[in-house]
Amino acid sequence: MEVTLVKKCFIFLLSLCLIAGLAGCGGTSEKAANTDGKLKVAVSFDAMREFVQAVGGDKVSIIEIIPDGTEPHEFQPTAKRMKLLHDANVFVMQGLGMEPWAEAMIKAADNPKLVVVEAGTGVSAITNTDEDEIKEHGQYDPHAWLSPSCAQIEVQNIADGLAKADPKNAGYYQANAKAYKEQLQALQNEYTQKFSALPHKDFVTGHAAFAYLCRDFGLEQKSVESVFAAGEPTTNQMKELVDYCRDNHVKTIFSEELVSPKTSETLAREVGAKVQPIHTMESSEGGATYLDRMKENLQRIYESLQ
Ligand SMILES: [Zn+2]
């Protein structure tokens, strides 16, 4: 008799626990989906994260689709990552062919409320001229985020997208975008003046990521790898680079974290130049912001051309 009672009590308590547990569980998962009322914004890579952070401030929580430290041009999503857009409110991508996987991922998300922002929409695109490049990567050079003037267009597109997904904070997003665009414009003005006074306009970098920046300031880039950072240069290409550096008095070879710094070092040794880091914002670097890194890029290119 006593045993049955204990048993009954136990079962009663167990069901209470189960009910409480289930309720608790439901409560937590709901909270996680809302991430404390913040807008859930998925971004493709670091530069997009920077722009979304600048515009979205404390009203957004950001998920990066491409794991930090992965060369974004070579990214292929795993089956698990394919589902990352399922409960996002906004997806911010560069566009211009930078994210060939995005279309399938958006489809796989099965998320009708998802607002998709192609940040590069409205940028005057630079077309690829190399035939192999076009075959492999499409029509356009995707690196528009590395130009202070194109970045302003991208920031505005992002503000409009966040405002669409979260209209009650539209004023906040637009005000942040305006302030950020002013900082980009200030950089643009400062270096337009500085670069225009220089006799040399040519610099050598890791992969050809700076065509839009060059267009902004009337500069010329040469890269040790192709636009999309794939493959080492051949012996002939290397000889061409060496001649180019000698002909154009190149004294600095820029190198990137994710793109064969070895080639840059070899070239620098060959022509008696020094190697300096340059930032493509394709992955994060010790917490330095986009503006910090852009300022550093412009200043270093400027110094290298003197
Ligand atoms: Zn790149």
Side-chain angles (χ1 to χ4, degrees):
M1 187 71 182
E2 225 176 302
V3 175
T4 327
L5 190 66
V6 168
K7 240 188 195 167
K8 266 187 184 160
C9 269
F10 181 67
I11 287 167
F12 178 62
L13 278 174
L14 194 71
S15 24
L16 266 185
C17 285
L18 260 175
I19 290 163
L22 278 177
C25 187
T28 334
S29 82
E30 215 165 86
K31 227 181 189 176
N34 291 330
T35 46
D36 302 324
K38 290 187 182 189
L39 195 66
K40 212 166 172 186
V41 184
V43 299
S44 46
F45 64 98
D46 186 65
M48 298 301 110
R49 184 182 56 75
E50 283 282 328
F51 293 158
V52 169
Q53 193 63 71
V55 173
D58 60 4
K59 310 247 181 271
V60 296
S61 92
I62 302 174
I63 336 156
E64 218 160 298
I65 305 270
I66 301 178
D68 205 29
T70 303
E71 159 56 59
H73 297 293
E74 282 147 32
F75 172 70
Q76 291 286 348
T78 57
K80 201 175 160 199
R81 293 199 104 75
M82 281 300 280
K83 295 184 190 119
L84 279 176
L85 297 177
H86 181 64
D87 61 350
N89 302 108
V90 183
F91 172 42
V92 175
M93 59 189 273
Q94 164 57 44
L96 296 171
M98 186 65 184
E99 298 96 344
W101 41 266
E103 206 184 315
M105 193 181 279
I106 291 164
K107 225 173 172 185
D110 188 25
N111 178 359
K113 72 171 196 310
L114 184 70
V115 174
V116 177
V117 179
E118 266 195 64
T121 305
V123 165
S124 158
I126 293 175
T127 29
N128 283 324
T129 47
D130 187 280
E131 252 175 62
D132 292 334
E133 203 73 82
I134 294 168
K135 226 184 258 165
E136 200 175 343
H137 297 109
Q139 212 176 342
Y140 301 112
D141 180 338
H143 298 92
W145 69 90
L146 286 168
S147 130
S149 73
C150 296
Q152 290 185 55
I153 296 173
E154 306 214 341
V155 164
Q156 188 56 53
N157 286 335
I158 290 168
D160 294 344
L162 298 188
K164 186 178 169 195
D166 180 21
K168 69 176 189 305
N169 289 313
Y172 173 82
Y173 300 133
Q174 295 294 352
N176 285 347
K178 185 168 179 281
Y180 199 74
K181 281 161 64 183
E182 279 167 10
Q183 295 189 70
L184 287 163
Q185 188 57 47
L187 264 185
Q188 170 90 14
N189 295 345
E190 181 187 347
Y191 281 90
T192 299
Q193 211 171 18
K194 281 184 166 171
F195 284 124
S196 71
L198 291 180
H200 301 298
K201 307 284 182 191
D202 308 80
F203 66 98
V204 177
T205 183
H207 80 292
F210 296 94
Y212 292 88
L213 182 143
C214 286
R215 186 172 66 183
D216 278 357
F217 299 105
L219 306 175
E220 291 281 344
Q221 70 173 343
K222 206 51 167 190
S223 65
V224 302
E225 290 193 359
S226 77
V227 176
F228 289 90
E232 306 271 319
T234 62
T235 322
N236 264 347
Q237 285 167 330
M238 197 64 181
K239 190 188 169 294
E240 229 175 83
L241 281 167
V242 168
D243 290 344
Y244 175 87
C245 290
R246 293 199 172 128
D247 291 348
N248 291 290
H249 312 282
V250 171
K251 288 180 275 191
T252 307
I253 309 295
F254 292 103
S255 97
E256 300 159 29
E257 217 165 71
L258 299 178
V259 178
S260 66
K262 254 198 190 145
T263 312
S264 301
E265 279 156 24
T266 312
L267 178 63
R269 236 188 347 260
E270 192 72 29
V271 300
K274 66 174 175 176
V275 178
Q276 268 217 314
I278 198 162
H279 314 290
T280 60
M281 335 282 185
E282 289 178 4
S283 69
S284 72
E285 290 165 289
T289 67
Y290 174 94
L291 285 170
D292 290 340
R293 287 180 283 171
M294 182 49 79
K295 220 175 278 177
E296 207 163 72
N297 279 351
L298 291 170
Q299 185 56 28
R300 282 179 181 164
I301 295 169
Y302 176 69
E303 282 166 8
S304 85
L305 296 177
Q306 284 180 327

